[in-house]
């Protein structure tokens, strides 16, 4: 019996996939089809796959060509599978010509002509989300750059109230339409990425939601608890997505880290320590302008993200210990108590601490080396060193592509993100607001 194997994502199943599977089957007597897992696609940079794994498997099954279906989950699995299933022929479309020649060592490699004029990416792009940038700051350049890695999105509208120097640079780098009137801007887009100073943030978000646009607002969200409640209700009433651009929440590694920590592998979590510090030097004034305050406003959203994910929403209280410079906290140590756990963090816009994270448990602990907020690697450690385990995950580029991909997915599914829920956003915003009212200790 001649066994054939082929692999693919098979997203938004189309005739190109069908033709490939048909001809793959004709190469032998028994066809194994490897369907890529969501994680594997993310790891190989294929973001924004629309169909679930189960849907993609079902579509392959329905063709009737596959005698067996396996899940492709890691780089190198093709070699393992060819050996494991005693495969005679590996085949794939001609768009991969040359890419899999190394498999000739294990079996015959055949590239079948690709069906011209159709691809999942093109189909995804037919219902492309038109995204506009409201406000321009330095992060906007990174956002535009990272958006190139996400299919199904088109950014060609910018609206700015006041043209900053970041804007002048951006205008040279990207060809997009600059709008001077908000109504025209909103008429041209489906969704908006908002980056503005805190004093304009609430009004900009409300305005976008009133224009029935999905909203992704760059962190930190610095509005009052009451204002946030109004935003949440408005988004709900208009059936629009509201998301915070806290990029770590959307990266593959961070999601796996949280899942592992909460799996019980280190027992009950007793404490979480996560710093986030910078010495901003000449950008200090810029950062203070941007967040209308100091370290807690600028950076606390990140450790607070880790705390709400690991310890939950119901903190008991927060203490702040700040190095204060004319009302601006240049360095703040935070102590957050929960019912059965405690969390600490140093945040600084003019000071440095180790940027690692330690999640302590009553059976072991997880160590995440700096910078934990861009983690690609972490270790689970125990008293018995032989039990220690290491975990690696890819973190591509600036990490914004995962956030953008999640935003598009949420819009298409009309469902707010579970990677950073509305309740978690509410709690993080509330924790920051505690700083504004707390009887903080200054030193
Ligand atoms: N295909 C085709 N014609 C098209 C589109 C796709 O023949 N118009 C083929 C591809 O060459 C591939 C299969 O259909 O052999 C599945 O395509 P995708 O789902 O895009 O899978 P891909 O990302 O190419 O992954 O490890 C994964 C595999 O290497 C292929």
């Amino acid at each position: 019996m001649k066994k054939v194997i082929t692999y693919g994502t098979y997203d938004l199943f189309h005739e190109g996939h069908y033709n490939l599977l048909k001809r793959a089957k004709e190469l032998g007597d028994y066809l194994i089809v490897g369907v890529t897992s969501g994680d594997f696609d993310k790891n190989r940079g294929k973001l924004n796959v629309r169909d679930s794994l189960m849907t993609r498997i079902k579509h392959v099954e329905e063709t009737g060509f596959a005698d067996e279906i396996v899940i492709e989950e890691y780089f190198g699995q093709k070699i393992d599978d060819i050996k494991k299933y005693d495969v005679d022929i590996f085949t794939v479309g001609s768009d991969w010509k040359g890419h899999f020649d190394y498999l000739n060592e294990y079996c015959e490699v055949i590239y079948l002509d690709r069906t011209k004029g159709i691809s999942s990416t093109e189909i995804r792009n037919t219902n492309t989300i038109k995204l506009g940038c409201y406000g321009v700051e330095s992060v906007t350049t990174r956002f535009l750059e990272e958006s190139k890695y996400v299919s199904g999105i088109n950014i060609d509208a910018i609206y700015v109230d006041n043209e900053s120097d970041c804007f002048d640079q951006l205008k040279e780098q990207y060809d997009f339409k600059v709008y001077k009137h908000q109504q025209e801007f909103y008429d041209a887009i489906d969704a908006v990425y908002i980056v503005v100073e805190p004093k304009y943030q609430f009004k900009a978000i409300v305005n976008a939601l009133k224009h029935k646009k999905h909203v992704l607002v760059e962190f930190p969200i610095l509005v009052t608890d009451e204002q946030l409640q109004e935003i949440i209700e408005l988004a709900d009433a208009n059936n629009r997505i509201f998301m915070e651009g806290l990029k770590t929440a959307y990266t593959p590694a961070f999601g796996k880290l949280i899942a592992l920590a909460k799996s019980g592998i280190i027992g009950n979590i007793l404490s979480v320590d996560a710093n986030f510090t910078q010495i901003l030097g000449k950008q200090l004034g810029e950062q203070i302008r941007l967040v209308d305050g100091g370290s807690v406003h600028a950076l606390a959203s990140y450790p607070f993200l880790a705390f709400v994910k690991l310890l939950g929403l119901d903190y008991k209280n927060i203490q702040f210990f700040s190095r204060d410079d004319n009302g601006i906290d240049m360095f703040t140590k935070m102590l957050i108590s929960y019912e059965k756990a405690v969390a600490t963090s140093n945040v600084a816009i003019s000071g440095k601490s180790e940027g690692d994270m330690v999640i302590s448990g009553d059976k072991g602990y997880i160590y995440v080396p700096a910078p934990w907020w861009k983690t690609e690697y972490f270790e689970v450690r125990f008293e018995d060193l032989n039990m220690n385990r290491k975990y690696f995950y890819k973190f591509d580029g600036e990490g914004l592509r995962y956030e953008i991909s999640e935003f598009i997915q949420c819009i298409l599914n009309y469902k707010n993100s579970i990677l950073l829920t509305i309740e978690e956003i509410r709690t993080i915003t509330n924790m920051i607001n505690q700083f504004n009212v707390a009887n903080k200790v200054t030193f």
Side-chain angles (χ1 to χ4, degrees):
M1 174 164 74
K2 189 177 279 189
K3 291 175 113 177
V4 182
I5 199 166
T6 188
Y7 296 80
T9 303
Y10 300 104
D11 190 31
L12 305 173
F13 198 83
H14 53 66
E15 65 172 302
H17 298 142
Y18 183 89
N19 294 343
L20 190 286
L21 292 174
K22 182 171 180 297
R23 284 174 295 145
K25 180 63 187 260
E26 288 160 0
L27 292 175
D29 313 300
Y30 189 90
L31 175 63
I32 302 169
V33 180
V35 181
T36 53
S37 72
D39 275 354
F40 181 55
D41 275 329
K42 271 199 180 130
N43 278 338
R44 69 190 182 115
K46 195 165 185 177
L47 301 181
N48 235 9
V49 170
R50 293 286 161 73
D51 290 338
S52 70
L53 172 60
M54 291 317 290
T55 303
R56 293 183 284 120
I57 288 172
K58 186 166 72 67
H59 289 157
V60 169
E61 257 169 358
E62 283 167 352
T63 64
F65 297 126
D67 297 289
E68 187 173 352
I69 292 177
V70 297
I71 311 297
E72 185 179 25
E73 300 182 273
Y74 60 91
F75 290 105
Q77 183 178 327
K78 291 182 172 76
I79 297 174
D80 294 342
D81 287 351
I82 287 167
K83 290 181 191 165
K84 181 175 162 187
Y85 299 107
D86 193 20
V87 165
D88 302 293
I89 298 173
F90 165 87
T91 187
V92 74
S94 51
D95 45 320
W96 292 94
K97 198 162 187 58
H99 195 91
F100 295 108
D101 291 355
Y102 69 91
L103 294 174
N104 273 306
E105 190 182 332
Y106 309 97
C107 68
E108 188 183 355
V109 174
I110 298 176
Y111 298 101
L112 295 168
D113 286 346
R114 180 184 170 80
T115 305
K116 293 206 178 354
I118 186 162
S119 77
S120 311
T121 306
E122 275 160 37
I123 296 171
R124 275 187 217 113
N125 285 338
T126 45
N127 43 2
T128 296
I129 303 291
K130 296 191 295 273
L131 185 64
C133 292
Y134 184 108
V136 168
E137 296 293 347
S138 54
V139 65
T140 312
T141 308
R142 295 198 300 277
F143 187 90
L144 290 168
E145 208 44 45
E146 288 275 301
S147 68
K148 293 175 184 165
Y149 295 89
V150 182
S151 60
I153 176 178
N154 191 19
I155 305 181
D156 62 4
I158 299 265
Y159 172 83
V160 281
D161 274 329
N162 56 325
E163 298 195 6
S164 64
D165 53 359
C166 312
F167 178 66
D168 298 337
Q169 288 160 8
L170 214 63
K171 251 189 314 194
E172 277 141 41
Q173 242 178 308
Y174 296 92
D175 59 337
F176 42 62
K177 188 161 172 30
V178 179
Y179 289 83
K180 289 289 181 208
H181 303 290
Q182 283 203 29
Q183 189 54 53
E184 286 170 20
F185 170 69
Y186 283 123
D187 290 347
I189 60 175
D190 308 309
V192 63
Y193 171 59
I194 296 177
V195 191
V196 292
E197 293 173 49
K199 56 181 177 254
Y200 306 122
Q201 204 177 47
F202 174 66
K203 187 162 166 284
I205 297 170
V206 165
N207 208 3
L209 290 169
K210 281 183 174 164
H211 280 86
K212 294 196 176 303
K213 305 303 166 184
H214 302 286
V215 172
L216 169 61
V217 59
E218 184 56 30
F219 100 98
I221 294 181
L222 297 172
V223 299
T224 66
D225 294 354
E226 297 69 27
Q227 287 176 327
L228 184 63
Q229 181 55 30
E230 193 178 325
I231 288 168
I232 292 168
E233 286 170 6
L234 194 54
D236 203 31
N238 285 296
N239 196 18
R240 288 296 177 268
I241 299 300
F242 175 66
M243 224 173 102
E244 179 176 8
L246 204 43
K247 67 183 178 199
T248 300
Y250 310 103
T251 59
F254 185 74
K256 292 289 178 297
L257 168 66
I258 300 302
L260 195 66
K262 297 184 71 171
S263 71
I265 193 169
I266 57 171
N268 297 304
I269 299 175
L270 303 170
S271 102
V272 182
D273 305 293
N275 298 330
F276 194 167
T277 61
Q278 301 169 325
I279 293 185
L280 283 167
K282 63 180 187 316
Q283 298 136 301
L284 189 59
E286 169 73 3
Q287 183 66 45
I288 289 171
R289 170 185 72 81
L290 253 184
V291 296
D292 190 19
S295 306
V296 170
H297 280 194
L299 302 173
S301 306
Y302 273 89
F304 287 166
L305 164 70
F307 301 158
V308 298
K309 282 291 181 190
L310 290 163
L311 302 174
L313 307 177
D314 305 322
Y315 68 91
K316 283 166 63 183
N317 86 317
I318 307 183
Q319 288 176 297
F320 300 93
F321 303 84
S322 296
R323 161 56 60 86
D324 195 278
D325 183 352
N326 295 322
I328 298 290
D329 63 306
M330 294 301 184
F331 176 102
T332 296
K333 180 178 279 296
M334 306 184 290
L335 184 63
I336 301 97
S337 63
Y338 287 80
E339 193 59 40
K340 296 190 179 320
V342 65
T344 71
S345 173
N346 295 337
V347 287
I349 53 175
S350 187
K352 276 314 279 180
S353 288
E354 180 54 60
D356 59 2
M357 181 197 299
V358 178
I359 307 169
S360 310
D362 58 18
K363 289 199 183 114
Y365 72 97
I366 297 177
Y367 176 72
V368 189
W372 68 264
W373 54 91
K374 290 182 77 168
T375 187
E376 296 180 287
Y377 154 69
F378 49 86
E379 281 188 43
V380 183
R381 295 174 175 171
F382 299 93
E383 190 64 44
D384 171 3
L385 300 182
N386 298 317
M387 287 175 61
N388 288 4
R389 281 177 250 175
K390 294 182 169 68
Y391 296 82
F392 301 85
Y393 294 94
K394 272 181 79 179
F395 182 106
D396 285 326
E398 293 281 339
L400 284 164
R401 64 190 70 180
Y402 304 109
E403 167 186 312
I404 299 167
S405 171
E406 174 70 3
F407 187 42
I408 303 304
Q409 296 273 27
C410 290
I411 293 170
L412 292 167
N413 302 332
Y414 270 97
K415 200 167 153 302
N416 275 316
S417 179
I418 57 168
L419 299 177
L420 178 59
T421 66
I422 293 292
E423 285 316 307
E424 289 165 341
I425 294 174
R426 192 201 304 272
T427 302
I428 292 169
T429 304
N430 170 264
M431 291 167 97
I432 294 173
N433 287 334
Q434 294 303 313
F435 180 68
N436 303 329
V437 299
N439 53 346
K440 48 189 165 280
V441 173
T442 54
F443 59 90

